Amino acid sequence: MPPRPPARASEKIKRDPSSQLDVIIVGAGLGGLGAAIAILLAGHNVTVLESASEIGEIGAGIQVLPNSSRILISWGLEDKLTKHATMPRYANMIGWKGNHLSRMDLHAYGKALGTPFWDFHRANLHRCLLDRAVELGAKLHVKSRVQTIEYAQDGLTATAVLNDGRMMSADLIVGADGISSTLREILLGKPDPPLPTGDLAYRLLINAKDMLNDPELRHFIQDPQVNYWIGPDAHAVNYVLRGGELFNMVLLVPDDMPAAAMTVDGNVEEMQALYKDWDPKIGKILRLCQSVQKWKLCIRPTLEQWSHESGTFTLLGDAVHATLPYLASGCGMALEDGAALGLCLARLTDKSREQKLDALKVYEDCRKERTERVVNRGNYQQYLYHIHDGEVQRERDAKLKKFGEIDEQLFKNPDIITQPRSESGDDPLPWRYYGVGDWLLNYDVEKDVDRKWEQFRRQNRARPLL
């Protein structure tokens, strides 16, 4: 079997008004804008409500894996995104003292899978999604915080009630308001705060010019790779952004933030002290840092039901299944959610409650188990990355070496990489084939929706849809 063919851009469906939904998406983050694009491509109308006074994205770097880049390409974004993307050559696992443990050939995997590994500054990815949504016809409203949702007596529409008294009705409302989601609590009818994981992240950006001046650090910029240092109770990740202009560094350490705080300004000296005994290269990089923020890392266990019984309200992204960033898949899962929802809504032939409920049922069938697996594996990676020195650490490092050798053998017949497997493996470098790469990176949302629709029709004798 040859390598998987490259992804292709989808065409926008031309839809009769009798089957064209008016959809409100609450939240203009990466997941909300991705959903807007997918639903617009399905031929429906979309309005995006954002509570902030302007639409933008905070944060620093973000990794996009092949399962996610395939979706972005299908949304017609390849040319725009490649201008902002860095394509790292390897993902390296490094011991906390600087000893190289194993690596993954990201270019080889991308070639076999037909879509690349990309690294972005979040603001660039967000801007491209925003521009594409507007190009497709999205209407955007800022300063629009949703306070509650009311459901029409006929069960066909829902109304978003804003905190300034405005009311906006739609055939479907999509809650994409992130980890501190109000919409999740509205669906549940009770408070439901995110769960702390015991870790926090220091996120910082370094001017690449400062690193190029140092003979010991310049290779990080000149040969872009993703580097993971793993050690007792902590790890560190870095990669290049904006074609070598910026160097993104994330430090993952035990959480010492106040319980109610999600983001606070960090102390640079305190951060540097946490890594004073680690690989000296980390210390040199951190000495280039002028300021830093701390982010509490939380998760969201999935819900038994993602959608309201009326078929007029559903959730996606971090609002329903926020994960630790240790699989680099939080954004990816939100983009997959939006893609799956759009593909399901593309099947509608009318605006009836029954068809919307069918579409939302298939959407959940596609997403619940997969996103729960990502949350669970992220929790497991937290354990694997933070093992103290000793017998268990030596066993982990031996596995990294063994699976690295297996990975090299796989590429003598790279079509194996394109064969999905259902089970997770023991490789501590998770994106390789015998970690979770087999089912995570190989995912094709269009095929999954097709398969789940057919299963749903057989089980429920659903009337034929498009």
Side-chain angles (χ1 to χ4, degrees):
M1 178 182 294
R4 179 179 291 175
R8 64 185 188 281
S10 302
E11 296 291 330
K12 184 174 182 179
I13 293 173
K14 295 181 179 179
R15 184 174 291 277
D16 186 275
S18 65
S19 67
Q20 188 175 53
L21 301 183
D22 291 322
V23 179
I24 289 175
I25 295 173
V26 181
L30 300 175
L33 293 176
I37 292 168
I39 294 169
L40 287 160
L41 286 171
H44 303 292
N45 301 316
V46 172
T47 298
V48 180
L49 304 181
E50 171 55 45
S51 61
S53 58
E54 59 184 27
I55 294 178
E57 180 69 20
I58 60 174
I62 189 166
Q63 298 183 68
V64 172
L65 310 183
N67 53 301
S68 308
S69 61
R70 177 171 292 270
I71 289 170
L72 293 169
I73 292 168
S74 78
W75 290 342
L77 286 165
E78 183 172 18
D79 290 344
K80 291 181 180 179
L81 286 175
T82 51
K83 298 174 184 177
H84 302 289
T86 302
M87 295 178 61
R89 190 159 61 104
Y90 294 111
N92 300 296
M93 286 289 169
I94 306 166
W96 67 290
K97 290 294 189 181
N99 51 309
H100 192 274
L101 299 173
S102 197
R103 73 182 187 185
M104 175 182 179
D105 189 331
L106 302 181
H107 286 183
Y109 266 88
K111 182 178 179 180
L113 294 167
T115 49
F117 287 82
W118 279 334
D119 292 338
F120 293 103
H121 193 293
R122 293 181 72 97
N124 294 127
L125 176 57
H126 186 268
R127 171 52 64 177
C128 288
L129 289 169
L130 176 62
D131 289 347
R132 181 62 171 147
V134 171
E135 179 185 21
L136 290 167
K139 298 177 181 178
L140 308 175
H141 296 269
V142 296
K143 300 180 181 178
S144 299
R145 185 178 298 277
V146 175
Q147 189 172 52
T148 190
I149 291 177
E150 298 176 353
Y151 306 97
Q153 290 187 351
D154 61 10
L156 295 179
T157 61
T159 298
V161 181
L162 279 58
N163 64 351
D164 60 6
R166 284 179 291 158
M167 304 178 74
M168 303 180 70
S169 298
D171 301 299
L172 177 65
I173 296 175
V174 180
D177 54 337
I179 191 167
S180 300
S181 173
T182 299
L183 276 289
R184 178 183 175 115
E185 295 186 340
I186 290 172
L187 181 65
L188 291 173
K190 63 178 182 180
D192 188 45
L195 301 179
T197 63
D199 283 359
L200 66 80
Y202 287 96
R203 304 182 192 272
L204 53 147
L205 289 173
I206 305 294
N207 189 322
K209 290 181 181 178
D210 295 334
M211 295 179 64
L212 287 170
N213 291 330
D214 189 317
E216 230 186 341
L217 300 181
R218 64 169 60 121
H219 73 278
F220 287 113
I221 307 300
Q222 294 172 338
D223 184 13
Q225 303 185 28
V226 181
N227 301 297
Y228 282 74
W229 284 264
I230 53 179
D233 297 324
H235 71 285
V237 186
N238 61 36
Y239 47 91
V240 174
L241 301 177
R242 291 181 173 167
E245 293 181 11
L246 295 171
F247 191 68
N248 184 72
M249 190 89 171
V250 187
L251 308 176
L252 299 308
V253 301
D255 182 5
D256 63 357
M257 292 170 59
M262 293 296 285
T263 306
V264 299
D265 291 333
N267 181 286
V268 173
E269 291 76 19
E270 177 185 90
M271 173 191 70
Q272 292 168 340
L274 291 170
Y275 287 83
K276 64 182 176 61
D277 296 324
W278 286 53
D279 183 349
K281 293 186 182 70
I282 294 179
K284 293 192 78 172
I285 294 170
L286 296 186
R287 284 194 289 275
L288 298 174
C289 176
Q290 303 299 316
S291 63
V292 69
Q293 282 197 313
K294 297 163 70 169
W295 301 65
K296 187 185 293 290
L297 298 182
C298 298
I299 60 171
R300 285 281 197 185
T302 192
L303 298 175
E304 182 177 343
Q305 188 169 330
W306 292 19
S307 305
H308 189 264
E309 60 187 10
S310 65
T312 61
F313 175 32
T314 193
L315 298 173
L316 64 73
D318 282 355
V320 67
H321 53 65
T323 179
L324 278 166
Y326 299 167
L327 274 186
S329 290
C331 170
M333 290 303 101
L335 296 178
E336 286 184 6
D337 287 351
L341 181 58
L343 291 167
C344 289
L345 296 177
R347 307 280 182 128
L348 301 186
T349 57
D350 62 44
K351 299 164 67 170
S352 67
R353 177 174 180 265
E354 291 74 21
Q355 285 209 11
K356 286 190 289 183
L357 285 170
D358 289 351
L360 293 177
K361 175 64 169 63
V362 175
Y363 162 61
E364 289 187 31
D365 287 347
C366 288
R367 303 306 304 151
K368 281 178 65 176
E369 180 182 355
R370 179 169 169 81
T371 54
E372 191 167 7
R373 292 182 80 184
V374 166
V375 173
N376 290 338
R377 182 66 187 221
N379 295 342
Y380 183 54
Q381 291 302 129
Q382 180 185 31
Y383 160 74
L384 287 175
Y385 291 160
H386 297 171
I387 294 171
H388 284 237
D389 288 353
E391 182 178 352
V392 177
Q393 165 259 322
R394 289 189 290 271
E395 291 175 355
R396 178 202 63 195
D397 294 354
K399 282 185 178 180
L400 281 166
K401 180 179 179 181
K402 179 187 76 172
F403 281 107
E405 294 168 352
I406 291 172
D407 220 49
E408 290 182 6
Q409 293 300 312
L410 282 180
F411 280 100
K412 293 180 179 179
N413 185 16
D415 60 296
I416 294 174
I417 302 296
T418 67
Q419 304 305 303
R421 301 186 322 141
S422 59
E423 66 272 20
S424 296
D426 292 332
D427 189 347
L429 204 169
W431 307 281
R432 291 191 300 212
Y433 187 71
Y434 288 106
V436 299
D438 52 343
W439 59 262
L440 180 64
L441 305 186
N442 266 302
Y443 183 70
D444 187 317
V445 65
E446 293 185 33
K447 291 181 180 178
D448 194 27
V449 170
D450 288 344
R451 183 167 55 250
K452 294 297 196 311
W453 264 117
E454 186 55 35
Q455 291 174 1
F456 178 78
R457 288 174 58 182
R458 287 200 307 266
Q459 293 169 3
N460 297 275
R461 297 180 180 178
R463 57 198 169 279
L465 297 179
L466 290 176

